[in-house]
Amino acid sequence: MSRDPYDILGVKRDATQKDIQRAFRKLAKKHHPDLNPGDRPSEERFKQISTAYELLSDEQKRARFDRGEIDMEGAEQAPRHYYREYASASRPGGPYHNSASFADFGEAEDPLSAFFSHRVHDDHFHLAGEDRYFSMTVDFLDAVNGAKTQVRLPNGTPLDVQIPAGTHDGQTLRLPGKGGPGMGGGPAGDAFIDVHVKPHRFFQRDGDDIRLDLPISLDEAVLGAKIRVPTPTGAVTLTVPSHSNSGKILRLKGKGVPKRGGGRGDLFVTLKIVLPDKADPRLTAFMKEWAETSKQDPRKGMGLP
Amino acid sequence: MNELEFCLKLKIEASVLAVWIEQGWLVPDSTGFEQQFREADVARGQLILEMTRDMGVNEAGVDLVMELVDQLHSLRGTMQDLMAAIGQQDEETRFKILQSLDRHG
């Protein structure tokens, strides 16, 4: 460290008293330990600065220094205690405690205990936990009937999720209190889960209704039949009236999707006549015979020549 | 120490001390028979003296500086308590706090 007061203050040898004072004030503002309470080394720097200033601001001492009669050691100051040593533990109740900086934190006088107790009236300290967002894919029938499942949080912990009956694709489920934890007695955040519903092999969702293409055989279509039909809640028996056409729609009331306000949508069954897997010679023979006598023209009215 | 001892220690006139107290820069302990000054008050007085005598800070300036210095120390005290409290938490909690700071920082 320099032992030259001119170097320390950063002034020339021929600097005026005004220059010296200006240089000292500038450095003192920057290095005074009490104006820089967190800056430990500032104490040594300030000591140098004020020792140098004391020497140079006194014309007689400055002249003696210039003549080499005294050095910086001669002007050395006694060790002292800065205010910051006493003030570093400023706590509520102390004579110089000033909590104006916390005034907007709620209980200004003692913000920490206010923060960690539940006594605070101010909303600032009821920090609600953060909301968390997830997405999950669920099976068609689980979405229709409701199901219990789990999502895995990023940190690995599983979160139980109740999928309500009637959940539709793209719906967001809100799990109150399943987000991040709150602070200071604040409530936990919520978890939000985007639900994607997988398509089903043969059911199709249409709002609260479900549509189903149901294959029937030729004889069932012509003669009518009681057949088993799948529904989201299990198979039921459906009566196909005799002479039912392909494309005929039968309604199974209340076999659709549970509605939010109670009740259920319907299951609409569209009949689809399916010929036997392999051509049957007897059927072919019968059709030839039948076609000769049939007068039916299903494309009548389509304006065909 | 009493008023006289305080003035001798800082080499100031009693009238100067009166101004400091009136301005609220010093708050001596007045619970006893006569006002008592602490070591902290001496250090505080030195700061005030340096500002007025050496650093060219006027009365209004000292007022402002002392107000902010007190606020700063109160904040530092709270900050120290908070950091001590965080330091006592288990590693997971400290890590979570660190993460929160990262996110908002």
Side-chain angles (χ1 to χ4, degrees), chain A residues 24-25 28-29 32 34-35 37-38 46 80-84 86-88 90-91 95-98 100-102 111-112 116 130, chain B residues 25-27 38-41 43-44 46-47 50 54-56 65 67 69-78 80-82 103:
Chain A
F24 168 76
R25 286 183 178 176
K29 253 184 280 179
H32 196 296
D34 277 334
L35 303 177
F46 184 69
R80 62 177 272 200
H81 295 286
Y82 287 96
Y83 175 64
R84 68 178 187 182
Y86 304 97
S88 63
S90 177
R91 300 290 186 278
Y96 300 115
H97 188 76
N98 182 332
S101 331
F102 312 120
L112 272 196
F116 291 108
E130 59 181 317
Chain B
W25 301 340
L26 282 185
V27 183
R38 319 158 191 91
E39 287 301 322
D41 295 324
R44 211 174 151 85
Q46 261 169 339
L47 170 62
E50 271 159 356
D54 303 331
M55 293 171 67
V65 170
E67 167 78 16
V69 163
D70 288 342
Q71 283 194 26
L72 184 59
H73 283 298
S74 301
L75 274 174
R76 284 174 58 83
T78 303
Q80 281 167 4
D81 290 348
L82 191 58
R103 204 187 44 233

Side-chain angles (χ1 to χ4, degrees), chain A residues 160-171:
Chain A
D160 286 324
V161 180
Q162 174 68 51
I163 299 174
T167 297
H168 57 80
D169 186 45
Q171 187 174 332

Side-chain angles (χ1 to χ4, degrees), chain B residues 6 11 17 26-27 45 48 61 63 66 68-70 77 85 98-99:
Chain B
F6 184 84
K11 302 190 185 79
L17 176 60
L26 282 185
V27 183
I48 297 170
D63 207 38
M66 295 315 284
L68 290 177
V69 163
D70 288 342
L98 201 68
Q99 271 186 325

